[in-house]
Amino acid sequence: MRTSNPIFSRWGAARAPEPARTAQPMGVTVGGRPVDGHQTGHGHQDNHGYQDNPYAPGAGASAASTRDALTMDDVLVRTGTTLGTVALTAVLSWLLLPVDEVNLGRSYGLAVGAALVAFVLSLVQSFKQTPSPALILGYAAFEGVFLGVLSSTVSTYLSPGVIVQAVLGTFAVFAAVLLAYRMRWIRVDRRFAGFVASAATGFLLLLAADLLFSAFGAGGGLGFHSGGLGILFGIVGIVLGAGFLALDFKQVEDAVAYGAPREEAWLAAFGLVTTLVWIYLEVLRVLTLLNSDN
């Protein structure tokens, strides 16, 4: 693994890439490609839990293809670019889309529209076989517009000063999960991935039920918007986000170890930024509810 960043300099050092077979836990995605089961050869299973390297060069591979292999620096640059796009458009929307009483409806309408566009772009990228920088950066830009207006509204009407706390809290979660992953306190395997996926499914189903109850007469929904239940639900969301971060780190580590193509860095950036947005929203929810109770 090659990186000049001291924080990540030993990331994946224990997983040197092998030309033919590399140990791989079941049920973990590598460079955006699922690995499920103990396989060898061209998708055949064996009893040793080994998987052919999906990025292994053929016999006629050129030196140029080796030079184009993914590095940790590629992931850092693409992630920084994508996250920077989110931050830039969030700041611009905060400044250019006022949320005073006169303009709140228009600004919030634009923010909801931007969120829907971001959602559609994320779905399109999720179903594409290859990463598209234009789609990913477009998603980041529209997501930033939504976050900027939402953050400005929360800061203006609900909890002044909470945005800085939410940003700091988000990066604190990121740092804690990264430390736990590097120290191998978290074991990311098939069981871990299945647990996170199942918990996230239940979480999203509860959110959908809450929206339905709110839309059809129960103004408070299921009670996830206030009080202790809302705070508990937000904490569960933060823990789920931390689990997704660990899965993202695993994907990046394995992709670098396998020698994935450089364009896979955009997929890694897309996953990491999406997870950070999730965590930010849940941290913002918890802090807003805590401040409203004081």
Side-chain angles (χ1 to χ4, degrees):
M1 186 199 63
R2 295 156 288 175
T3 177
S4 58
N5 188 292
I7 298 177
F8 294 92
S9 60
R10 294 183 57 82
W11 223 22
R15 282 181 183 270
E18 298 178 8
R21 302 200 311 176
T22 306
Q24 173 62 35
M26 297 184 296
V28 178
T29 59
V30 178
R33 294 169 170 77
V35 176
D36 190 10
H38 296 312
Q39 301 182 346
T40 186
H42 297 287
H44 301 292
Q45 295 186 353
D46 65 14
N47 296 321
H48 304 288
Y50 283 90
Q51 164 76 19
D52 274 1
N53 182 349
Y55 305 109
S62 64
S65 64
T66 303
R67 288 196 300 270
D68 286 339
L70 177 70
T71 68
M72 197 63 70
D73 288 337
D74 296 326
V75 177
L76 292 173
V77 170
R78 272 62 168 189
T79 302
T81 301
T82 307
L83 190 59
T85 302
V86 174
L88 177 61
T89 53
V91 170
L92 289 176
S93 65
W94 185 309
L95 297 175
L96 300 178
L97 297 175
V99 293
D100 53 34
E101 293 183 0
V102 175
N103 297 292
L104 178 60
R106 179 180 64 87
S107 296
Y108 216 74
L110 290 173
V112 171
L116 291 175
V117 173
F119 178 70
V120 171
L121 292 177
S122 68
L123 284 181
V124 173
Q125 176 56 68
S126 298
F127 286 104
K128 280 179 63 67
Q129 295 296 319
T130 57
S132 170
L135 281 176
I136 293 170
L137 292 178
Y139 156 80
F142 284 104
E143 191 70 41
V145 172
F146 168 71
L147 292 177
V149 173
L150 176 66
S151 301
S152 178
T153 303
V154 170
S155 180
T156 301
Y157 294 102
L158 299 177
S159 184
V162 75
I163 304 306
V164 173
Q165 299 173 11
V167 172
L168 293 176
T170 300
F171 284 102
V173 173
F174 178 89
V177 176
L178 177 59
L179 175 63
Y181 186 85
R182 287 194 60 200
M183 299 299 293
R184 303 303 180 192
W185 297 338
I186 301 175
R187 181 180 178 185
V188 181
D189 53 14
R190 182 180 184 181
R191 180 177 298 178
F192 180 90
F195 174 79
V196 173
S198 299
T201 300
F203 185 87
L204 293 175
L205 288 175
L206 282 175
L207 276 181
D210 181 64
L211 289 175
L212 287 175
F213 273 87
S214 298
F216 291 101
L222 298 178
F224 297 146
H225 304 289
S226 61
L229 186 58
I231 294 172
L232 177 62
F233 197 70
I235 292 174
V236 171
I238 294 171
V239 173
L240 279 175
F244 281 121
L245 265 183
L247 292 174
D248 290 334
F249 293 157
K250 174 67 173 175
Q251 177 177 340
V252 171
E253 181 183 39
D254 287 342
V256 171
Y258 275 149
R262 180 167 293 171
E263 57 266 23
E264 296 285 337
W266 283 109
L267 281 181
F270 176 60
L272 286 167
V273 170
T274 302
T275 302
L276 287 173
V277 168
W278 170 301
I279 294 173
Y280 171 77
L281 291 173
E282 294 304 324
V283 172
L284 184 61
R285 178 213 298 264
V286 170
L287 291 176
T288 302
L289 292 176
L290 286 173
N291 290 337
S292 66
D293 289 341
N294 293 335

